[in-house]
Amino acid sequence: ASVVVRHKPAIEIPDLTTEKPGVIVRDPAMRLIYEQAARAARSPINVLVLGETGVGKEVLAKAIHTHSPRSKGPFLGVNCAAMNESLQESELFGYEKGAFTGAHQARAGLFEAAAGGTVFLDEVGELSAGTQAKLLRVLEERVVTRLGSNRPRPIDVRFISATNRDVESESTTGRFRQDLFFRLNGISLLIPPLRDRPQEIEPFARMFLAAACREIERAEAPRLSAAALEILRQHLWPGNVRELRNAVDRAVVLCIGETILPEHLPPSLVKAVEARRGATPPLAGLTAA
């Protein structure tokens, strides 16, 4: 009798929350997002990261790249909202010498420069209609044609896009190309806002506090007072993680003592919290956490 033993195929799923000191994942919903991202990282599938401004879309995109087969290649990103249509095309597709006024020499675009790596299109929902059409061709044919040229050049990149817009709804109204949406949306990952992840506010605050002290070479990092920490916990954070970092950076600069107090936080932030809870301002003399 013959016996054939086959091992059950096992797919190693990386932990995207390790190896990156700037990543904090405590909320259950965020853990699920990072688990899905880890599965997507090992495949060539296009990823669309959704969420409000400042929630950490680029952090997640970098984590996906770091744990992908393309990790040794470059990770190149561009903010599509920061460019007009002509600049979008020249930055993404490149151009030949003499293609337009000021094009004194040929230049490879982002898609060529990221060969073997990952292209991150931040705020992809802000692309013009013309650029959307050209991007669709790049995704379908995996070639790019520089401005001023008629020769298509093959590219080898993985695409990760991000936006704070509801591009799925916009694709049904014509604001965003539906065929492009389907191409970009191999898998979508929706990052919840910081206000829905209260477990992560304190860890983020302490991480940013330590980073801010390193930047200004402050040997002894101040502590967060209980009152200041409570304000951070109760704020709704419309600017999400980015707003939290700015608030902590400001507090570190203004605090010359050993403890960060509510008075060191942005006044608008403190007033917003006080207005919501309808309480008197916290006492500055509360002990540190």
Side-chain angles (χ1 to χ4, degrees), residues 63-289:
I64 293 173
H65 169 75
T66 299
H67 291 85
S68 75
R70 296 177 174 271
S71 59
K72 294 183 180 179
F75 176 91
L76 299 182
V78 62
N79 186 338
C80 302
M83 304 179 292
N84 58 32
E85 182 173 1
S86 61
L87 189 57
Q88 286 174 2
E89 294 187 2
S90 62
E91 287 295 316
L92 297 178
F93 308 113
Y95 52 84
E96 295 293 347
K97 180 179 179 180
F100 51 84
T101 303
H104 302 300
Q105 60 183 12
R107 180 187 176 192
L110 187 71
F111 299 150
E112 288 184 75
T118 300
V119 167
F120 176 57
L121 300 175
D122 194 14
E123 302 303 341
V124 70
E126 304 297 331
L127 287 176
S128 67
T131 306
Q132 288 181 35
K134 293 183 178 181
L135 175 59
L136 178 63
R137 180 171 181 263
V138 171
L139 290 167
E140 290 180 337
E141 302 180 13
R142 294 288 163 170
V143 297
V144 62
T145 303
R146 295 181 181 179
L147 297 180
S149 172
N150 57 9
R151 179 168 71 91
R153 300 168 183 265
I155 60 169
D156 175 26
V157 297
R158 194 257 184 93
F159 288 91
I160 301 179
S161 306
T163 181
N164 61 3
R165 303 173 70 106
D166 186 356
V167 287
E168 183 173 8
S169 295
E170 292 184 355
S171 70
T172 62
T173 61
R175 167 63 182 80
F176 193 83
R177 290 186 65 111
Q178 192 170 55
D179 44 8
L180 177 58
F181 168 72
F182 290 139
R183 281 289 181 179
L184 295 174
N185 188 32
I187 181 174
S188 61
L189 303 171
L190 175 60
I191 301 179
L194 185 59
R195 60 182 171 274
D196 293 339
R197 297 145 50 191
Q199 295 170 307
E200 298 181 1
I201 293 176
E202 181 177 350
F204 268 122
R206 297 192 184 280
M207 181 182 71
F208 294 149
L209 191 155
C213 290
R214 286 195 299 269
E215 289 180 1
I216 62 175
E217 299 182 351
R218 182 169 179 170
E220 296 293 332
R223 296 172 295 172
L224 277 168
S225 71
L229 186 55
E230 186 61 22
I231 289 176
L232 297 181
R233 287 172 176 159
Q234 293 188 20
H235 187 49
L236 293 181
W237 300 111
N240 292 291
V241 179
R242 186 176 299 142
E243 182 188 3
L244 174 57
R245 178 158 197 167
N246 290 341
V248 173
D249 287 348
R250 178 187 192 277
V252 170
V253 171
L254 296 182
C255 178
I256 59 176
E258 298 179 351
T259 306
I260 291 178
L261 304 172
E263 64 198 58
H264 300 131
L265 299 174
S268 58
L269 187 155
V270 178
K271 290 179 181 178
V273 171
E274 291 173 356
R276 285 185 60 243
R277 65 188 182 188
T280 56
L283 297 178
L286 289 179
T287 58

